[in-house]
Amino acid sequence: MADPLHVYDAPPLGANADWTIPQNWEAFSADEHAMWDHLFARQSEMLPGRAAQAFLRGVDVLKLEKPGIPDYRELNARLMAATGWQVVAVPGLVPDDVFFDHLANRRFPAGNFIRTPDQIDYLQEPDVFHDVFGHVPMLADPVFADYMVAYGKGGLRSLGFGALHKLARLYWYTVEFGLIAEPDGLRIYGAGIVSSYGESIFALDDPSPNRIGFDLLRLMRTEYRIDDYQQNYFVIPSLEHLLKVTVETDFAPLYAQLEALPDIAIADIVPGDEVITHGTQYYARAKG
Ligand code: PHE
Ligand code: FE
């Protein structure tokens, strides 16, 4: 059987050297647009009171409530006006250096396919719903938009230090699975959470996972899992804090320091942690 994942060694036929392809919006079928609408309705129903203010503002500013998979010609006009970012279509996962180069240049690569009905609750790779609904609203926020540019540049730099493995944890625990403390309580902003029905609830309300205050060095020592809900979430006090700390820190000495420090096991609480929730971990243990 052919590899079912959208993973390629080189840009596939028809793709540009930077791996982008035309979105070819007209080619999405009625069933594919209906899948988007189904996922959009299910997520947007639960997001008030759960999603970060910046995320909700982004959904609004970008007019994502318009039915169907967004047409990037329209979406990009709004996104460009907000923060200078644009969404570009790619066939699937792209190599790290290509991904970072896109981010550094304010382009967010989005997989140009949508999950099938048997993948509604879980799929192994990012589709257009995860990439656009999950990631793009935050890119309409000026502070987060700058953070993602800085991350792209930092990603390219990390390759020279062989430190991508450590930096990837920062992406994971912020861009994908980040929580933020807002005046009314904890909110979700990570794309992996906001695009997941189950994790939108689990990440905020479940007693199982730890919730720990954001600390850059501690975070970059922490392992993560890709196969199930997180056992651990890091909480930022504000997007401004996240941007300031990461931009003002030179990661070169941090990478050197991390070389000498042991990793922290996924669910461990360590001295110095600002513990917001000491999770029971019942969920992860039950699956043991
Ligand atoms: N300041 C980081 C460095 O020196 C770059 C970076 C910025 C990384 C923001 C992640 C997020 O490499
Ligand atoms: Fe993602």
Side-chain angles (χ1 to χ4, degrees):
M1 197 178 94
D3 190 338
L5 295 180
H6 298 76
V7 173
Y8 306 87
D9 297 329
L13 196 67
N16 300 307
D18 69 357
W19 290 71
T20 58
I21 55 174
Q23 185 192 21
N24 199 10
W25 183 81
E26 286 74 14
F28 286 110
S29 69
D31 282 351
E32 289 174 319
H33 285 300
M35 173 59 75
W36 171 283
D37 292 343
H38 171 75
L39 295 166
F40 182 88
R42 190 169 71 155
Q43 286 314 102
S44 43
E45 196 183 324
M46 77 162 81
L47 291 177
R50 291 187 176 277
Q53 285 167 21
F55 183 90
L56 297 171
R57 261 198 311 272
V59 170
D60 210 40
V61 165
L62 299 172
K63 305 213 184 301
L64 284 183
E65 75 283 354
K66 188 175 169 188
I69 295 168
D71 183 333
Y72 295 166
R73 288 164 293 200
E74 268 175 53
L75 179 64
N76 282 339
R78 297 199 174 92
L79 183 56
M80 272 279 195
T83 56
W85 272 79
Q86 55 182 312
V87 183
V88 292
V90 290
L93 289 174
V94 303
D96 298 323
D97 59 329
V98 175
F99 181 65
F100 293 142
D101 188 66
H102 280 303
L103 297 187
N105 290 286
R106 293 186 186 256
R107 293 186 299 264
F108 192 80
N112 207 29
F113 61 95
I114 192 155
R115 65 197 72 183
T116 54
D118 56 305
Q119 296 172 318
I120 283 190
D121 287 309
Y122 183 77
L123 82 170
Q124 281 180 60
E125 53 177 345
D127 70 341
V128 65
F129 185 75
H130 168 83
D131 282 336
V132 173
F133 181 83
H135 285 281
V136 176
M138 290 302 290
L139 293 173
D141 179 89
V143 176
F144 193 82
D146 285 353
Y147 172 65
M148 286 288 271
V149 174
Y151 189 92
K153 292 178 184 162
L156 290 171
R157 185 168 184 239
S158 78
L159 299 176
F161 294 105
L164 175 56
H165 174 62
K166 298 289 159 68
L167 184 65
R169 292 170 173 174
L170 178 60
Y171 192 90
W172 192 260
Y173 279 121
T174 60
V175 178
E176 294 292 353
F177 292 98
L179 301 185
I180 183 168
E182 292 193 345
D184 294 333
L186 295 188
R187 295 290 184 267
I188 57 185
Y189 72 92
I193 312 178
V194 294
S195 64
S196 157
Y197 183 72
E199 198 152 3
S200 299
I201 294 163
F202 182 86
L204 285 182
D205 295 345
D206 205 279
S208 193
N210 297 330
R211 298 179 185 87
I212 303 171
F214 177 85
D215 177 280
L216 188 56
L217 185 66
R218 196 286 186 209
L219 182 157
M220 290 209 288
R221 292 176 60 195
T222 311
E223 295 168 349
Y224 62 84
R225 61 187 306 157
I226 60 169
D227 60 331
D228 205 334
Y229 298 156
Q230 298 306 300
Q231 289 179 250
N232 199 19
Y233 298 93
F234 286 96
V235 181
I236 56 169
S238 67
L239 295 173
E240 287 78 9
H241 178 84
L242 176 63
L243 177 64
K244 187 172 155 60
V245 168
T246 52
V247 164
E248 290 181 0
T249 302
D250 178 359
F251 280 37
L254 212 54
Y255 294 144
Q257 212 181 332
L258 284 163
E259 284 295 306
L261 287 167
D263 280 348
I264 298 173
I266 210 154
D268 281 5
I269 299 280
V270 298
D273 280 350
E274 181 204 334
V275 180
I276 296 161
T277 309
H278 192 152
T280 65
Q281 300 296 339
Y282 83 86
Y283 175 83
R285 281 203 196 105
K287 293 212 168 176

